[in-house]
Amino acid sequence: MTESPPTSATALGLPLWLVLELTYRCPLQCSWCNNPLDYERYRQEMSTADWIRLLEQGRKAGAVQLGFSGGEPLLRDDLEELVATATQLGYYTNLITSGIGLTEQRLDALIAGGLKQVQLSLQANDASLCDTLVGVPSSFEQKITVARAIKARGLPMVLNVPLTRPNIDQVGSLIDLTVELGIDFVEFANVQYYNWALINRSELLPSREQIAAAEQVVIAARARLGRSPALYFVVPDYYSDRPKACMNGWGKVHLTIAPDGTAMPCQEAKLLKGIDFPNVRDHDLTWIWRDSPGFRKFRGEDWMKEPCRSCDERHVDFGGCRCQAFMLTGDAANTDPACSKSPHHHLMVEAAAIANDPRRNQAPLVMRTRKSSRQFAE
């Protein structure tokens, strides 16, 4: 049988959005952490020279937007050098950070290197709750100080607020805070349930009423404030009857590099079993994107099972999230259980039912994190 020629770059898309997970080290202990459960495997981080070589290959492959992420990217001593190199190569650079450890001197050095935007996380408008949720004393004060320093320098800034059951009722007061700080964009991102968030799902997933109330607060604020700041509200899959178009399709626009050089179509793909994702230390990025088996695995529609294969919505959502399908059903080729057409949709419904059980609010929350279990009263 003759093998078909490689798909053209135009047909498969370009890796326009490149995310470098420089390290999985992090000062925070969030119970919804996206770091892999086996993060110890990734302690062999790429060197500065490795990352620079990757940056050069990324531009040749078509990447234009670059996110420095983690873990906490500030824990890399070479972050300034990588930002400056990326700027020289023509990337639009974005720092995705908790803000912990970002001094004014370091911020100035990053801006001097060409940093274009910062995405800062904030977990609550209440100092005590914020510190409890991330496991770091005085984290709230540090984050607010960093936010003020960023805006004082005129840098565009996204405030990312991961919403969970303990903090979702603070949406209104958080909007007031962002107006005071002069934030440009605010993403109220209901946590997506992977890795540590999945372990803690029953404690973290808000009720349907909480999500509806929070969304109405955001809608009212948009009417009152216009686009200053721009407010976004991302809902969790557990209250939807259709899956999200995850990453706009597998291997279409997004490419993530793990600290050890593993290349993946998204930051969660590392949890998939049975797929050997290539390493940028061993392969050129263009080959990885175009021809590696891992990136071709779920491109197009040939991999689809029913009901996706014959569904007239498959061009819209691409079957949903492969990682979520694997986590909840054990088979990454299954229809995402977020879809009501999935034979596994009941798994989402049952999890949501637990979140909406009134008895759940009668006990303190118990969270599992990388270091230890933590308990706090609501």
Side-chain angles (χ1 to χ4, degrees), residues 203-349:
E203 285 77 25
L204 292 174
L205 183 62
S207 69
R208 185 182 296 275
E209 288 73 18
Q210 282 183 300
I211 291 171
E215 187 169 20
Q216 286 304 309
V217 170
V218 172
I219 291 171
R222 286 185 189 136
R224 183 177 74 252
L225 301 171
R227 296 286 295 176
S228 184
L231 302 174
Y232 301 92
F233 189 83
V234 181
V235 298
D237 291 342
Y238 287 75
Y239 296 109
S240 176
D241 63 358
R242 290 294 183 271
K244 57 182 177 287
C246 192
M247 311 311 294
N248 199 36
W250 180 276
K252 290 187 70 174
V253 296
H254 183 96
L255 200 158
T256 292
I257 309 298
D260 68 342
T262 301
M264 301 166 291
C266 73
Q267 64 267 33
E268 303 301 342
K270 62 181 73 70
L271 61 82
L272 296 177
K273 307 300 181 185
I275 301 180
D276 184 19
F277 289 110
N279 194 292
V280 298
R281 288 167 164 163
D282 305 320
H283 301 281
D284 178 80
L285 200 63
T286 296
W287 176 86
I288 289 173
W289 179 258
R290 287 172 55 89
D291 300 313
S292 66
F295 276 74
R296 296 176 69 145
K297 180 74 173 177
F298 296 114
R299 275 197 180 119
E301 300 177 3
D302 290 345
W303 59 270
M304 289 183 176
K305 298 181 178 181
E306 293 293 351
C308 288
R309 181 176 289 274
S310 59
C311 179
D312 57 7
E313 296 178 67
R314 66 187 183 278
H315 310 299
V316 177
D317 57 39
F318 316 112
C321 176
R322 299 302 89 224
C323 300
Q324 188 156 262
F326 175 78
M327 284 188 307
L328 299 183
T329 75
D331 186 346
N334 282 336
T335 300
D336 187 338
C339 184
S340 62
K341 298 180 181 181
S342 165
H344 301 96
H345 184 61
H346 65 93
L347 298 173
M348 289 280 196
V349 175

Side-chain angles (χ1 to χ4, degrees), residues 56-92:
E56 294 169 345
Q57 292 180 8
R59 286 294 289 135
K60 292 178 182 178
V64 293
Q65 184 160 341
L66 181 68
F68 291 101
S69 182
E72 176 49 70
L74 291 169
L75 293 176
R76 287 282 301 211
D77 294 336
D78 56 359
L79 180 59
E80 290 85 344
E81 180 179 356
L82 295 177
V83 168
T85 300
T87 300
Q88 292 167 6
L89 290 169
Y91 285 100
Y92 182 91

